[in-house]
Amino acid sequence: MTRVASLYLPHLAIERLRRLERPRALPEPRPAPILPVDDDPGACSVPRGGGWRPGARWARQGATRAAVEEQVAALPLHQRPPMRELGRRSEAANHPFKRPVAPDQRQPAPPPVMHHVPMILAEAIGQRQVIAAACPAAMALGLTPGMAVTQARALIPDLDIRPADRAADAALLDDLALHAVRHWTPTACVSGEDGLWLDLTGVAHLHGGEARFCHRLIRFCRRFGLTARVAVASTPGTAHALTRFGRDVVHLVPGGQEAQALAPLRPAALRLTPEAVAAATRFGLDRIADLLPLPRGPLARRLGMASLRRLDEALGRVAEPIVPVVPQEVPVTRLRLLEPIGTAEAIEQVIGDLLAALIRQLLERGRGVRALVLTLERIDGSAQHLSVGTARATRDAGHLAQLFHLRIERIDPGDGIEAMWLAAPRTDPLGATTLAATLAGDDAPPDVALLVDQIASRVGQEALFTTAPVESDVPERAVRRVSPLAAPSGWPAWKRPVRLLRRPEPLVGVLALLPDAPPRRFTWRGRVHAVVAGDGPERIHGEWWRRDGEVWAVRDYFRVEDDTGARFWLFRRGDGVEPATGDLSWYLHGLFG
């Protein structure tokens, strides 16, 4: 019997933005401290090795739990045993700070994420700006999708309005569907603009059953900041209707009970057109239960044949196939040799043949290589792997062969290599190559990517990078590493040192006149520097929205030059007036060229 799960993400667009604005990941829980073990705990009411844990005299005497509670309640307050829930009885006790939950109890609905400022996403429809999505706080105030933005702003003046990005929402759903195909079920696809369909036929037992899979799916979405509801039924239409119009977070419909599950829902749950929903309301058909006993002919005349087909699909009378997402297959070429080889020249010749076959596959797909993995199978059955990467997508077989040539000495053929295959686990779209400069007789500009790939193959990918700016006032947060071929833009207009230390280094013996004069002398790494020129201060405040410790933090930066001509970038913690802004300690943060 077919079983289909429908995953519904009601606030996908809003929660996607909230995920991007998450300041930092939650800190990892600290490991529990290792307590010392006392080999001689002293006298105990229970002998060791007798099967009774310490403090279990109540159970050894044969008293029941109710009798023990009556005895304890009869004692005065000052005589009642402390912590009796954790150690004075041998039977399992409930945790004092957690509510007991029955094993078969359904998981309650997660509370809606309420934000301090209501947020809506606006999109343009013609000449009007309408609400595309609203957070739970905004919906609680009466703002619904389809309402004009001007009306919403009139109702709530301090409304947070952001532009809607349908493409980003669809990309997130596509990523979820691809993850589902690779980890949950081989048949999954996107359902509308806010959900997925998952075919659980034959795979539910791999996840511990349908109920356990649904709860795991809810927890998976919750970890990523997404609110989700799941329903499992024998038809996609029933599962889709229950997730969007049902009340339960997890709804499991036994086979053959689709009509009973759909009966209390509104006709809009059948994915009817707005005209059909309006017609159903006009004729007094408020629930799907009102549609079931009606003759098919009059029902088709009132609501249309498309509505009748939707009803049949939900009830299982008409098949509604799911078109699964097919993950892109990794281009692979294989070659099994007639005789084992072991020389570098023979291995390079086979690599050239594998690259030629792989390039033909990439041409058909319109993609270029970013990473290649070469696998060599030896006679003894062991395999050896050799990988190379490129800074830019390419289909140049000669360049890729040169990258393998630089690493050919790392191959250990052993007694001989009998099979080789080449895979491209990472590829990027790559169109046709422009030949305008060559046809006009001009020399084409040199491609720096080839040099970057050759250097990276020797020193490693992590050793080559360039820097790009980040929107931050704090200098150590304002720069990040990017690909060596990236073209960063938007550098600040103020001067910054050529070399920025990973962490500011403390200075000692600093002589400076407070509050705004640059230092006249300082000691760094055991050497005294006499300052002959200085400029500043440049005041930088802490980013209070990141953590509370930066609310009053102040740094005063100075550019100074010593008597040897070296220039440094120093800063002092604090403004020199208010003690809360810093402790007036000095640090070296960078060096100018």
Side-chain angles (χ1 to χ4, degrees):
M1 182 177 60
T2 303
R3 299 293 288 173
V4 179
S6 175
L7 174 64
Y8 175 46
L9 306 170
H11 308 293
L12 174 66
I14 296 291
E15 292 169 345
R16 180 184 61 82
L17 290 179
R18 293 297 181 185
R19 286 183 58 208
L20 298 177
E21 294 176 353
R22 192 174 300 170
R24 60 179 182 269
L26 295 176
E28 296 182 358
R30 297 181 178 178
I34 301 177
L35 301 179
V37 179
D38 188 2
D39 294 331
D40 187 12
C44 180
S45 62
V46 179
R48 288 185 174 272
W52 299 92
R53 62 178 179 82
R57 66 169 63 91
W58 305 102
R60 187 173 57 176
Q61 294 173 359
T64 62
R65 179 168 184 156
V68 171
E69 291 180 351
E70 293 179 359
Q71 295 176 10
V72 172
L75 295 175
L77 293 178
H78 66 281
Q79 295 183 0
R80 293 183 182 180
M83 300 296 291
R84 63 185 183 86
E85 285 292 338
L86 291 181
R88 299 303 296 260
R89 292 198 300 268
S90 62
E91 61 267 18
N94 298 327
H95 196 282
F97 305 117
K98 293 184 179 180
R99 185 183 63 181
V101 180
D104 56 347
Q105 184 178 359
R106 291 183 177 180
Q107 183 176 358
V113 181
M114 304 297 291
H115 307 290
H116 296 290
V117 179
M119 176 191 290
I120 63 172
L121 302 183
E123 63 177 353
I125 298 182
Q127 300 295 329
R128 300 175 62 228
Q129 288 283 336
V130 299
I131 298 177
C135 70
M139 298 184 68
L141 297 175
L143 306 184
T144 58
M147 179 186 295
V149 174
T150 54
Q151 182 181 358
R153 188 183 290 111
L155 294 175
I156 306 175
D158 58 345
L159 189 63
D160 186 4
I161 304 175
R162 312 254 183 118
D165 192 349
R166 301 280 187 180
D169 300 338
L172 179 57
L173 273 181
D174 293 339
D175 293 342
L176 285 175
L178 191 60
H179 179 83
V181 170
R182 291 174 175 172
H183 296 84
W184 301 333
T185 173
T187 306
C189 68
V190 177
S191 171
E193 298 180 354
D194 49 11
L196 298 177
W197 269 327
L198 310 173
D199 191 352
L200 300 182
T201 306
V203 300
H205 67 283
L206 302 177
H207 305 282
E210 295 178 353
R212 185 175 181 182
F213 172 75
C214 292
H215 291 296
R216 289 180 58 187
L217 189 57
I218 294 293
R219 290 193 298 267
F220 171 83
C221 296
R222 189 178 299 171
R223 286 197 302 269
F224 283 88
L226 302 176
T227 304
R229 294 207 296 262
V230 186
V232 181
S234 299
T235 62
T238 301
H240 183 279
L242 292 173
T243 52
R244 287 155 177 80
F245 293 88
R247 297 182 178 180
D248 298 333
V249 177
V250 176
H251 201 124
L252 304 178
V253 180
Q257 298 186 10
E258 291 79 14
Q260 293 82 347
L262 293 173
L265 303 182
R266 293 179 294 167
L270 297 176
R271 294 169 290 165
L272 305 182
T273 61
E275 295 79 9
V277 174
T281 305
R282 185 170 61 253
F283 288 109
L285 304 175
D286 299 330
R287 300 184 306 163
I288 298 180
D290 301 333
L291 305 178
L292 299 177
L294 294 179
R296 300 178 61 85
L299 185 60
R301 287 194 300 270
R302 289 178 173 87
L303 304 183
M305 289 298 300
S307 302
L308 198 61
R309 180 176 180 84
R310 288 295 189 188
L311 179 60
D312 292 340
E313 289 175 349
L315 296 178
R317 300 169 183 170
V318 177
E320 185 179 3
I322 296 177
V323 181
V325 174
V326 179
Q328 183 180 1
E329 296 182 359
V330 177
V332 179
T333 57
R334 296 179 176 85
L335 189 60
R336 186 165 294 276
L337 308 176
L338 296 178
E339 295 182 358
I341 60 176
T343 63
E345 294 78 8
I347 294 175
E348 290 187 8
Q349 183 177 359
V350 177
I351 291 176
D353 297 339
L354 293 174
L355 284 172
L358 186 66
I359 294 301
R360 288 193 293 269
Q361 296 185 23
L362 296 174
L363 281 171
E364 296 176 356
R365 303 184 183 186
R367 305 186 71 84
V369 169
R370 288 297 307 276
L372 286 175
V373 177
L374 176 66
T375 303
L376 305 97
E377 185 177 347
R378 296 187 291 197
I379 294 178
D380 56 359
S382 61
Q384 192 173 6
H385 304 279
L386 188 65
S387 61
V388 298
T390 61
R392 184 182 298 166
T394 180
R395 289 196 295 262
D396 188 352
H399 174 56
L400 297 175
Q402 179 66 22
L403 296 182
F404 281 111
H405 173 74
L406 296 175
R407 297 191 177 188
I408 198 70
E409 69 275 1
R410 303 183 183 183
I411 298 177
D412 181 14
D415 296 333
I417 299 173
E418 62 179 0
M420 297 173 59
W421 58 87
L422 186 65
R426 182 182 177 187
T427 59
D428 288 344
L430 180 63
T433 305
T434 304
L435 299 176
T438 305
L439 295 177
D442 301 334
D443 295 333
D447 191 0
V448 186
L450 305 180
L451 176 62
V452 171
D453 295 339
Q454 294 181 7
I455 297 177
S457 63
R458 294 183 178 272
V459 300
Q461 295 285 347
E462 295 79 9
L464 296 180
F465 62 90
T466 186
T467 56
V470 180
E471 293 184 1
S472 178
D473 294 333
V474 181
E476 57 265 30
R477 299 174 185 163
V479 179
R480 62 184 176 91
R481 293 185 177 186
V482 295
S483 171
L485 298 181
S489 60
W491 286 105
W494 48 83
K495 295 182 179 180
R496 287 291 180 260
V498 176
R499 180 188 176 191
L500 189 69
L501 301 182
R502 183 180 296 272
R503 290 185 178 181
E505 298 185 6
L507 303 177
V508 296
V510 181
L511 180 62
L513 183 64
L514 295 178
D516 296 332
R520 306 301 301 173
R521 187 179 67 225
F522 64 90
T523 302
W524 176 52
R525 295 183 178 178
R527 181 180 176 183
V528 180
H529 298 266
V531 177
V532 297
D535 185 19
E538 176 190 347
R539 179 158 295 177
I540 295 179
H541 294 269
E543 296 177 342
W544 53 267
W545 56 90
R546 287 180 175 265
R547 60 189 184 94
D548 297 338
E550 300 185 26
V551 174
W552 299 103
V554 171
R555 291 183 184 179
D556 283 345
Y557 279 85
F558 298 89
R559 298 194 304 272
V560 299
E561 182 179 349
D562 65 358
D563 52 359
T564 62
R567 293 187 298 164
F568 306 93
W569 202 39
L570 317 175
F571 73 87
R572 181 191 66 230
R573 294 183 57 186
D575 56 5
V577 179
E578 296 292 338
T581 58
D583 56 0
L584 303 183
S585 57
W586 288 84
Y587 295 86
L588 177 66
H589 205 171
L591 296 90
F592 291 92

